[in-house]
Structures are given as structure tokens and as C-alpha cells.
Amino acid sequence: MKKVYDRKEKNHTSLVRLQHYFNDCLNTTSDNLYIASDCIGVFTDARLTSGNHPIYMNVFHQYQIDMELMIGLTNLDLINEMASLNAGLKKMNESLATIDRAYGQIRDAYISKTISESDYLENARRTRDRCVQVRPFLTQTHDDLVRLFAVAKLLMKNPPFFVRVTQALVRTKYPKGFEALLERETTEVKAGMEAIAKASEQRIREAEASAAQPIIPPGAAR
């Protein structure tokens, strides 16, 4: 009996940690969605064909993947979803790093005047196109995280064994219809995420403003 209780208690603790993990991943996703959209807005055709070519300094944020969180879980469905999520986040990290690396090399070469203006503009367009391509995957990641956050919150309402015994004695019942409950919980989580997204966007804008330095592209009038 003690082993069963200990296992339940470990699962309960893991669910608490999961909610913090999902929240961190959601913050990272909100930041990356903003950066992708911002980059697309910076590298418009109109700006790229103007005399003063834009240079983008922001980089995507990497997800801090925690593979150990699954160890304490008991729900197989959640374990499978967590494995799928972490695999997706790993691939996302690789894709975002590739975009940053490819543009960063071209940007630095352009600033140091070791590549032509036409080469820089072509690669800036490619960076914009890559951001367009990655944005739907970031949006899907956001939706997946919101759903898993809601799942974890609902499973938290299934407390350790002896807590359930106490609840039974006072005739407290668990709500039925998990999917319906999950839909409602997901709606509530999404509402909370809107505030996170706004705070994330403001945080990045403030960082940009404080770190902004004038950069004069090669060939620009001084």
C-alpha cells in the first residue's frame, strides 16, 4: 500500500512540475512567434529594395527540454504525449538554430563588407521565407502546449490515494466527462496565455529598445 501511495505522490509532484515546464515552454513559444513575425515585417520587399537595407539582430529562443519529468508520471497517455512533445521541441530547436546561424553568418559578413549587397538581400529574403515556414509550426506547438497544460491541471484533480479516501468519506465526487472538462480548461488556459503573449511582446520590445545601436550598412550615406 505504501508503494502505491508513494507512486501516486510522485505522480502528483511531477504534475506540479509539468505545469511549470509547460508555462516556460509557452513563454518561449510566444517569444519565438513574435520574433518570427517581427523578422517577416522587417524583411518586406519594400524595405529590402530601399536604399537603406534592414539588418535584423534578434535571435530565436531555444526550448529548455526536460526529459526527466516523464519518469514520475503514471498516466500512459500523458507520457506518450510528453514524449511526442519533447521530440517536437528538439526538432524545433534545431530548425530555429539553423535559421539563426544561416542569417547570422550572412549578416556579419555584410557588416564586415565581405559579401555583396545582392548576396545579403537574397539571404535576407530566404530568412524571411524560413520564418514564414516555421511560424505555423510554432503556432501548433503553442496549441499543443496549451492542451497539455490543461491536461496536467485536470489530472492534478486526481490527488494521491489517501487524499481520495478522505474525499470519499465526505462524499466529494470527481467530475465526469474528461473531454468536456478538458475543453473548458483549455479555454481558460488560452485566456491566460493571451496575457503572457502580450507581456512577452512588451519584454522583447523593451530589450530591443535598450540594446538598439545605429548600424550603417555598406554603401549607405554617412
Side-chain angles (χ1 to χ4, degrees):
M1 183 66 70
K2 184 178 184 302
K3 289 183 178 179
V4 174
Y5 177 76
D6 289 344
R7 183 62 174 158
K8 280 283 189 178
E9 186 65 33
K10 188 175 183 180
N11 178 69
H12 189 79
T13 301
S14 296
L15 288 172
V16 174
R17 294 178 60 199
L18 265 185
Q19 290 186 63
H20 290 287
Y21 178 58
F22 293 148
N23 192 56
D24 288 342
C25 289
L26 279 165
N27 284 335
T28 300
T29 305
S30 295
D31 289 347
N32 286 335
L33 277 168
Y34 171 81
I35 291 169
S37 298
D38 190 43
C39 182
I40 293 168
V42 167
F43 289 145
T44 61
D45 286 333
R47 296 190 67 181
L48 290 175
T49 55
S50 66
N52 197 9
H53 306 307
I55 294 177
Y56 198 65
M57 302 303 294
N58 262 335
V59 295
F60 288 108
H61 299 178
Q62 291 283 291
Y63 292 92
Q64 302 303 311
I65 302 173
D66 191 339
M67 303 296 293
E68 302 297 321
L69 282 175
M70 292 188 293
I71 295 176
L73 298 174
T74 58
N75 188 292
L76 292 178
D77 289 336
L78 181 55
I79 290 172
N80 289 334
E81 288 199 63
M82 279 296 301
S84 177
L85 172 71
N86 285 335
L89 292 181
K90 183 178 180 181
K91 292 179 181 178
M92 182 64 71
N93 276 345
E94 293 170 354
S95 297
L96 298 177
T98 297
I99 295 173
D100 284 338
R101 185 166 54 251
Y103 174 68
Q105 292 172 350
I106 294 299
R107 178 195 61 215
D108 294 345
Y110 181 56
I111 292 173
S112 62
K113 302 182 182 180
T114 57
I115 63 169
S116 67
E117 181 179 288
S118 61
D119 284 341
Y120 172 73
L121 293 177
E122 178 61 27
N123 280 276
R125 291 188 182 92
R126 289 179 184 175
T127 300
R128 178 194 63 196
D129 293 343
R130 288 173 183 143
C131 287
V132 170
Q133 292 168 0
V134 81
R135 191 164 54 175
F137 292 98
L138 286 168
T139 300
Q140 184 61 55
T141 298
H142 178 273
D143 292 344
D144 292 342
L145 285 164
V146 167
R147 180 185 182 281
L148 283 170
F149 192 99
V151 168
K153 287 187 67 177
L154 283 178
L155 292 178
M156 279 286 292
K157 297 176 183 178
N158 180 23
F161 177 72
F162 289 120
V163 177
R164 295 209 314 273
V165 171
T166 302
Q167 290 178 331
L169 291 175
V170 295
R171 297 183 181 181
T172 300
K173 296 182 179 180
Y174 286 101
K176 296 181 179 180
F178 186 81
E179 288 301 324
L181 290 169
L182 179 58
E183 183 177 352
R184 186 188 316 157
E185 197 75 39
T186 300
T187 300
E188 294 178 1
V189 171
K190 284 182 178 179
M193 289 307 106
E194 291 181 3
I196 292 177
K198 291 179 181 179
S200 171
E201 182 175 333
Q202 181 63 29
R203 184 171 63 253
I204 293 177
R205 286 178 175 172
E206 290 174 353
E208 288 176 335
S210 62
Q213 295 181 358
I215 298 177
I216 302 176
R222 295 176 180 271

